[in-house]
PDB file of all heavy atoms in Angstrom:
ATOM      1  N   ILE A 104      33.213  89.883   3.500  1.00 97.00           N
ATOM      2  CA  ILE A 104      32.787  90.510   4.744  1.00 97.00           C
ATOM      3  C   ILE A 104      33.863  91.442   5.375  1.00 97.00           C
ATOM      4  O   ILE A 104      33.718  91.797   6.549  1.00 97.00           O
ATOM      5  CB  ILE A 104      32.277  89.482   5.751  1.00 97.00           C
ATOM      6  CG1 ILE A 104      33.401  88.544   6.199  1.00 97.00           C
ATOM      7  CG2 ILE A 104      31.111  88.674   5.196  1.00 97.00           C
ATOM      8  CD1 ILE A 104      34.202  88.936   7.375  1.00 97.00           C
ATOM      9  N   TYR A 105      34.834  91.800   4.602  1.00 97.00           N
ATOM     10  CA  TYR A 105      35.973  92.584   5.165  1.00 97.00           C
ATOM     11  C   TYR A 105      35.539  93.878   5.747  1.00 97.00           C
ATOM     12  O   TYR A 105      36.267  94.458   6.549  1.00 97.00           O
ATOM     13  CB  TYR A 105      37.003  92.810   4.076  1.00 97.00           C
ATOM     14  CG  TYR A 105      37.877  91.662   3.702  1.00 97.00           C
ATOM     15  CD1 TYR A 105      37.606  90.394   4.193  1.00 97.00           C
ATOM     16  CD2 TYR A 105      39.005  91.813   2.898  1.00 97.00           C
ATOM     17  CE1 TYR A 105      38.413  89.267   3.843  1.00 97.00           C
ATOM     18  CE2 TYR A 105      39.848  90.737   2.586  1.00 97.00           C
ATOM     19  CZ  TYR A 105      39.532  89.492   3.052  1.00 97.00           C
ATOM     20  OH  TYR A 105      40.332  88.457   2.704  1.00 97.00           O
ATOM     21  N   MET A 106      34.419  94.439   5.274  1.00 98.00           N
ATOM     22  CA  MET A 106      34.025  95.798   5.733  1.00 98.00           C
ATOM     23  C   MET A 106      33.322  95.777   7.066  1.00 98.00           C
ATOM     24  O   MET A 106      33.005  96.813   7.651  1.00 98.00           O
ATOM     25  CB  MET A 106      33.127  96.422   4.655  1.00 98.00           C
ATOM     26  CG  MET A 106      31.718  95.882   4.585  1.00 98.00           C
ATOM     27  SD  MET A 106      31.624  94.142   3.961  1.00 98.00           S
ATOM     28  CE  MET A 106      32.423  94.357   2.337  1.00 98.00           C
ATOM     29  N   TYR A 107      32.939  94.576   7.626  1.00 98.00           N
ATOM     30  CA  TYR A 107      32.170  94.541   8.853  1.00 98.00           C
ATOM     31  C   TYR A 107      33.036  94.859  10.047  1.00 98.00           C
ATOM     32  O   TYR A 107      34.256  94.569  10.111  1.00 98.00           O
ATOM     33  CB  TYR A 107      31.576  93.143   9.004  1.00 98.00           C
ATOM     34  CG  TYR A 107      30.436  92.827   8.087  1.00 98.00           C
ATOM     35  CD1 TYR A 107      30.080  91.515   7.814  1.00 98.00           C
ATOM     36  CD2 TYR A 107      29.669  93.805   7.543  1.00 98.00           C
ATOM     37  CE1 TYR A 107      28.995  91.242   6.978  1.00 98.00           C
ATOM     38  CE2 TYR A 107      28.595  93.546   6.674  1.00 98.00           C
ATOM     39  CZ  TYR A 107      28.264  92.220   6.404  1.00 98.00           C
ATOM     40  OH  TYR A 107      27.189  91.940   5.593  1.00 98.00           O
ATOM     41  N   ASP A 108      32.400  95.462  11.027  1.00 98.00           N
ATOM     42  CA  ASP A 108      33.043  95.786  12.313  1.00 98.00           C
ATOM     43  C   ASP A 108      33.561  94.497  12.987  1.00 98.00           C
ATOM     44  O   ASP A 108      32.830  93.521  13.102  1.00 98.00           O
ATOM     45  CB  ASP A 108      32.026  96.476  13.213  1.00 98.00           C
ATOM     46  CG  ASP A 108      32.649  97.084  14.466  1.00 98.00           C
ATOM     47  OD1 ASP A 108      33.355  96.386  15.182  1.00 98.00           O
ATOM     48  OD2 ASP A 108      32.365  98.260  14.763  1.00 98.00           O
ATOM     49  N   GLN A 109      34.808  94.531  13.397  1.00 98.00           N
ATOM     50  CA  GLN A 109      35.398  93.291  13.971  1.00 98.00           C
ATOM     51  C   GLN A 109      34.750  92.858  15.277  1.00 98.00           C
ATOM     52  O   GLN A 109      34.922  91.685  15.695  1.00 98.00           O
ATOM     53  CB  GLN A 109      36.920  93.573  14.189  1.00 98.00           C
ATOM     54  CG  GLN A 109      37.214  94.642  15.217  1.00 98.00           C
ATOM     55  CD  GLN A 109      38.711  94.813  15.356  1.00 98.00           C
ATOM     56  OE1 GLN A 109      39.530  93.853  15.322  1.00 98.00           O
ATOM     57  NE2 GLN A 109      39.138  96.076  15.487  1.00 98.00           N
ATOM     58  N   HIS A 110      34.004  93.758  15.922  1.00 98.00           N
ATOM     59  CA  HIS A 110      33.365  93.437  17.174  1.00 98.00           C
ATOM     60  C   HIS A 110      31.956  92.856  16.961  1.00 98.00           C
ATOM     61  O   HIS A 110      31.230  92.602  17.904  1.00 98.00           O
ATOM     62  CB  HIS A 110      33.307  94.630  18.095  1.00 98.00           C
ATOM     63  CG  HIS A 110      34.623  95.219  18.409  1.00 98.00           C
ATOM     64  ND1 HIS A 110      35.597  94.517  19.090  1.00 98.00           N
ATOM     65  CD2 HIS A 110      35.199  96.451  18.099  1.00 98.00           C
ATOM     66  CE1 HIS A 110      36.735  95.282  19.226  1.00 98.00           C
ATOM     67  NE2 HIS A 110      36.504  96.426  18.625  1.00 98.00           N
ATOM     68  N   HIS A 111      31.597  92.665  15.727  1.00 98.00           N
ATOM     69  CA  HIS A 111      30.220  92.153  15.378  1.00 98.00           C
ATOM     70  C   HIS A 111      30.324  90.955  14.426  1.00 98.00           C
ATOM     71  O   HIS A 111      29.457  90.756  13.571  1.00 98.00           O
ATOM     72  CB  HIS A 111      29.382  93.216  14.777  1.00 98.00           C
ATOM     73  CG  HIS A 111      29.047  94.344  15.718  1.00 98.00           C
ATOM     74  ND1 HIS A 111      29.891  95.394  16.036  1.00 98.00           N
ATOM     75  CD2 HIS A 111      27.914  94.558  16.467  1.00 98.00           C
ATOM     76  CE1 HIS A 111      29.349  96.172  16.891  1.00 98.00           C
ATOM     77  NE2 HIS A 111      28.156  95.735  17.157  1.00 98.00           N
ATOM     78  N   LEU A 112      31.348  90.126  14.581  1.00 98.00           N
ATOM     79  CA  LEU A 112      31.484  89.010  13.684  1.00 98.00           C
ATOM     80  C   LEU A 112      30.773  87.747  14.181  1.00 98.00           C
ATOM     81  O   LEU A 112      30.612  86.765  13.435  1.00 98.00           O
ATOM     82  CB  LEU A 112      32.946  88.648  13.470  1.00 98.00           C
ATOM     83  CG  LEU A 112      33.867  89.731  12.875  1.00 98.00           C
ATOM     84  CD1 LEU A 112      35.240  89.214  12.554  1.00 98.00           C
ATOM     85  CD2 LEU A 112      33.233  90.381  11.611  1.00 98.00           C
ATOM     86  N   ASN A 113      30.307  87.758  15.404  1.00 97.00           N
ATOM     87  CA  ASN A 113      29.626  86.589  15.998  1.00 97.00           C
ATOM     88  C   ASN A 113      28.117  86.719  15.671  1.00 97.00           C
ATOM     89  O   ASN A 113      27.352  87.133  16.575  1.00 97.00           O
ATOM     90  CB  ASN A 113      29.887  86.491  17.450  1.00 97.00           C
ATOM     91  CG  ASN A 113      29.332  85.216  18.069  1.00 97.00           C
ATOM     92  OD1 ASN A 113      28.753  84.373  17.407  1.00 97.00           O
ATOM     93  ND2 ASN A 113      29.491  85.062  19.363  1.00 97.00           N
TER      94      ASN A 113
END
Side-chain angles (χ1 to χ4, degrees):
I104 63 91
Y105 285 10
M106 73 294 299
Y107 287 158
D108 190 309
Q109 63 181 324
H110 301 298
H111 293 81
L112 301 188
N113 187 1

